[in-house]
Amino acid sequence: MTERLADHTTLRLGGPARSWVRATTEDALVDAVRRADEAGEPVLVVAGGSNLVVADEGFPGTVVEVATTGVRADHEGDDPTCGGVVVTVAAGEPWDPFVEQAVARGWVGLEALSGIPGSVGATPIQNVGAYGQEVSQTLAAVRVWDRTLRGIRTFAATDCGFGYRTSRFKADPGRHVVLEVTFQVRQGALGAPVAYAELARTLGVDPGTRAPLADVRRAVLDLRTAKGMVLDPDDHDTWSAGSFFTNPVVPADAVPDGAPAWPRPDGTAKTSAAWLIKHSGFGKGYGDGPVRLSGKHTLALTNRGGATTADLLALAREIRDGVEQRFAIRLVNEPVLVGCEL
């Protein structure tokens, strides 16, 4: 039976794969990728499918589905005064259930990343972040299969090249197949200091203060749900790849008047892609076809049902070009494009 990528991506878009391998063990995962490489077969590694835009024509090679599971901590302890816990997680573990487990077990530093779709193995690739937290803040190591050297390697966090929505793995696409991710977390009942103003307001605390882990998770889930960023098969506003464009980093004096700005030490500033989109004339719900901006959030391009990848890319180009014409800032897509381009 032919597998369609549309059945394995949160956008519900993408044509058939020429062949499909579901790997439930690390050995099977490495073997599937290695065999395809030795045969000269194109390889696409898929797990949660939350950050993929796949061409309507599909993928002319082998798709390897990462279905490995397992969460193991180096020790168990209820004493919040002890140093912390080292947690190693299989790449195929779904991300949000892992965060839910972390909150329940008093592992601090992942709670603001609640509700993000996808797998654990995908998170270091683009240094997933939200509401003032990034994966790189708690990540200790990433274990990978290096397709170039044909061997297993382990990268410490300092060797991962983490930056805003990037890493050495994203900079060298396709080379590294993530096998396991190791986190080093503190233990406690309170989350990390709340670093995001909107989250602090929702929690009723001052920025920089701490709140109970469960409260932070609940607040983040509520915020994400209100923006259509928590998957719901009955809500087309969630049929997306999340934020389609990254927040651009520009010279500080190039930030448009009135736009949010987060200054950086090098004289640049990060500004809001959502603000730029809105102020370029693309409001919530923009579009009259099967792909539209979310009715809840201007950063999400959504499949309203019956859409094609070509439809999605057409709207993405319209928005990207409109923002560039209005503000001379060119937005960059966050999802990975497979067999297609903007």
Side-chain angles (χ1 to χ4, degrees):
M1 179 178 176
T2 301
E3 290 280 355
R4 298 186 316 137
L5 272 301
D7 297 325
H8 298 271
T9 62
T10 55
L11 270 165
R12 293 169 167 78
L13 297 176
R18 187 159 68 196
S19 63
W20 193 282
V21 178
R22 187 171 190 268
T24 58
T25 67
E26 182 179 295
D27 287 346
L29 174 56
V30 170
D31 186 61
V33 174
R34 181 173 53 207
R35 284 177 179 271
D37 284 343
E38 289 172 350
E41 176 88 349
V43 175
L44 175 63
V45 177
V46 171
S50 61
N51 200 47
L52 283 180
V53 177
V54 182
D56 294 313
E57 295 76 17
F59 186 70
T62 297
V63 173
V64 180
E65 179 185 354
V66 183
T68 55
T69 58
V71 178
R72 62 182 189 275
D74 66 339
H75 71 274
E76 298 291 340
D78 299 322
D79 182 0
T81 65
C82 74
V85 179
V86 175
V87 186
T88 300
V89 189
E93 278 285 341
W95 174 256
D96 189 57
F98 166 60
V99 175
E100 182 179 29
Q101 181 180 161
V103 168
R105 297 171 75 168
W107 298 340
V108 177
L110 301 169
E111 58 281 351
L113 301 175
S114 294
I116 295 175
S119 68
V120 170
T123 60
I125 295 174
Q126 64 171 21
N127 187 18
V128 164
Y131 295 102
Q133 281 183 359
E134 290 184 333
V135 165
S136 58
Q137 293 170 333
T138 49
L139 187 146
V142 182
R143 190 163 170 269
V144 305
W145 169 256
D146 187 324
R147 295 172 62 192
T148 299
L149 298 180
R150 300 192 177 188
I152 290 177
R153 304 174 68 187
T154 299
F155 293 100
T158 52
D159 297 322
C160 290
F162 288 126
Y164 171 63
R165 299 298 177 271
T166 194
S167 68
R168 75 179 299 157
F169 314 114
K170 186 173 181 177
D172 194 359
R175 174 172 176 173
H176 302 100
V177 179
V178 176
L179 304 175
E180 288 183 330
V181 183
T182 298
F183 300 89
Q184 188 162 15
V185 292
R186 293 184 295 106
Q187 287 183 282
L190 298 178
V194 178
Y196 199 79
E198 182 184 24
L199 179 57
R201 289 194 301 270
T202 301
L203 287 164
V205 301
D206 293 327
T209 58
R210 302 169 70 190
L213 283 168
D215 291 354
V216 176
R217 175 171 168 78
R218 189 177 307 111
V220 169
L221 288 173
D222 288 346
L223 287 168
R224 292 185 64 88
T225 299
K227 297 175 183 179
M229 294 294 185
V230 175
L231 295 179
D232 179 349
D234 297 322
D235 182 359
H236 283 279
D237 274 329
T238 73
W239 290 27
S240 77
S243 297
F244 195 87
F245 296 105
T246 58
N247 288 326
V249 176
V250 299
D253 60 3
V255 176
D257 291 341
W262 295 275
R264 295 154 61 99
D266 61 0
T268 63
K270 183 171 68 174
T271 189
S272 166
W275 188 96
L276 295 172
I277 291 168
K278 176 182 177 182
H279 288 82
S280 296
F282 306 106
K284 296 175 183 177
Y286 178 84
D288 56 6
V291 174
R292 302 174 205 165
L293 284 180
S294 167
K296 303 181 180 73
H297 198 288
T298 57
L299 265 183
L301 277 67
T302 64
N303 177 0
R304 313 310 294 186
T308 66
T309 300
D311 295 328
L312 178 87
L313 295 174
L315 181 59
R317 290 188 194 104
E318 181 184 357
I319 292 169
R320 180 199 62 189
D321 295 348
V323 169
E324 187 170 25
Q325 183 176 9
R326 175 70 176 82
F327 293 111
I329 295 174
R330 190 172 180 85
L331 296 180
V332 176
N333 53 285
E334 185 168 330
V336 176
L337 308 183
V338 178
C340 54
E341 60 184 20
L342 282 183

